[in-house]
Amino acid sequence: MGGNASTLAHRALVLSGSWRGKNARLRRRVVGIFMGALLAAAPVVAGTAHEGYDLIFRTGTLAEFAPGDALQYQSETVNEAAPPETQGAQAYDLRIEEGGTARLMRVLEEGQQPVAGFDAGVGNPMAMFFLERLVRDLAQATGGSTFYIRNRIKESLLAPEGIASVQVSWAGQSHAAQEVVLAPFVGDENAARLGPFAALRVVFDVSEGVPGWYHSMRAETPEREGGGRYFTSTLTLSEAAE
């Protein structure tokens, strides 16, 4: 059931040559979380497989998809440390192409904008995309180092706060799922400098009954006494998949 870390370590991330140059910065961001995941996988390669890591970075989750098949995801961000124009809802389309590339596109009113391409043989890349975006948002909100934040997340992948059996809803039915909870900054010596982000939780709901494995992902600070949260970032599989 777990992911194959050696497979992850030897599969290359694929990028479209037509937009490779003008999207170099975004490419580096995507590659960053990809490489971060590989570094975190070192103990797994050595033979100490970890259930939390394997659940989040499970391989083969796009194996049954054919060229032309697609998954749609809905994202929403609330971040009191960021300008309003950087927040709100956003839709993404993940489409399988000939040659085994999973192409991620941002859905806009006027069409679609390329984000990145991945080797579909590795698995669904949305967890990597979500975590790298989270690293960026946290670094901007706290003024902290992306390397520091990424390292804390890598460590939490190998030592989740909890894994529990839950139920998720998909296509009008309830499906057995597993919920993996990460607490990247709890107990960290620098947590006091992070303000509300010190208690951040990152939650993945995954299920074999859901196309592409990931039902939802969310990162959030605790709910305040007066209501609301300082930061929330979600990515959820859309029921409107084509």
Side-chain angles (χ1 to χ4, degrees):
M1 182 173 180
N4 186 326
S6 62
T7 299
L8 280 170
H10 292 90
R11 294 295 185 96
L13 179 146
V14 180
L15 292 171
S16 169
S18 63
W19 56 281
R20 186 171 293 166
K22 59 185 177 182
N23 289 276
R25 182 183 301 176
L26 183 55
R27 179 182 63 191
R28 287 194 295 270
R29 289 175 182 168
V30 177
V31 173
I33 191 63
F34 185 79
M35 295 307 296
L38 301 189
L39 292 174
V44 183
V45 176
T48 56
H50 194 285
E51 184 181 5
Y53 177 92
D54 289 347
L55 284 171
I56 293 175
F57 289 110
R58 185 176 184 179
T59 59
T61 49
L62 297 178
E64 296 182 1
F65 287 71
D69 289 345
L71 295 169
Q72 282 78 41
Y73 293 87
Q74 187 69 28
S75 172
E76 188 163 0
T77 301
V78 176
N79 183 358
E80 294 189 7
E85 61 269 18
T86 65
Q87 306 181 55
Q90 177 65 63
Y92 292 93
D93 182 284
L94 182 70
R95 191 169 299 272
I96 306 302
E97 298 179 346
E98 295 287 350
T101 295
R103 183 75 57 198
L104 181 62
M105 308 288 286
R106 183 179 290 107
V107 180
L108 307 173
E109 290 184 3
E110 61 274 18
Q112 294 190 343
Q113 178 185 62
V115 176
F118 303 82
D119 182 348
V122 173
N124 190 334
M126 297 309 292
M128 291 187 289
F129 170 75
F130 177 77
L131 288 176
E132 177 59 15
R133 187 179 66 179
L134 178 62
V135 168
R136 178 203 65 196
D137 289 346
L138 295 183
Q140 291 176 348
T142 64
S145 162
T146 56
F147 298 101
Y148 165 79
I149 294 169
R150 190 175 287 113
N151 283 338
R152 299 291 77 75
I153 291 177
K154 287 186 326 189
E155 291 176 4
S156 70
L157 284 165
L158 292 176
E161 184 176 64
I163 300 175
S165 296
V166 296
Q167 295 288 314
V168 297
S169 177
W170 172 256
Q173 297 183 0
S174 181
H175 299 273
Q178 288 176 287
E179 184 173 86
V180 184
V181 181
L182 310 180
F185 305 116
V186 172
D188 185 81
E189 60 182 8
N190 294 307
R193 303 179 184 179
L194 298 174
F197 292 101
L200 182 83
R201 294 299 190 275
V202 185
V203 183
F204 292 81
D205 286 340
V206 299
S207 173
E208 291 183 344
V210 173
W213 183 242
Y214 301 117
H215 177 268
S216 63
M217 313 169 204
R218 67 184 186 274
E220 57 190 18
T221 55
E223 187 169 1
R224 295 175 292 199
E225 291 185 4
R229 301 178 190 272
Y230 187 80
F231 175 89
T232 302
S233 178
T234 63
L235 186 68
T236 304
L237 182 64
S238 173
E239 289 277 3
E242 297 177 355

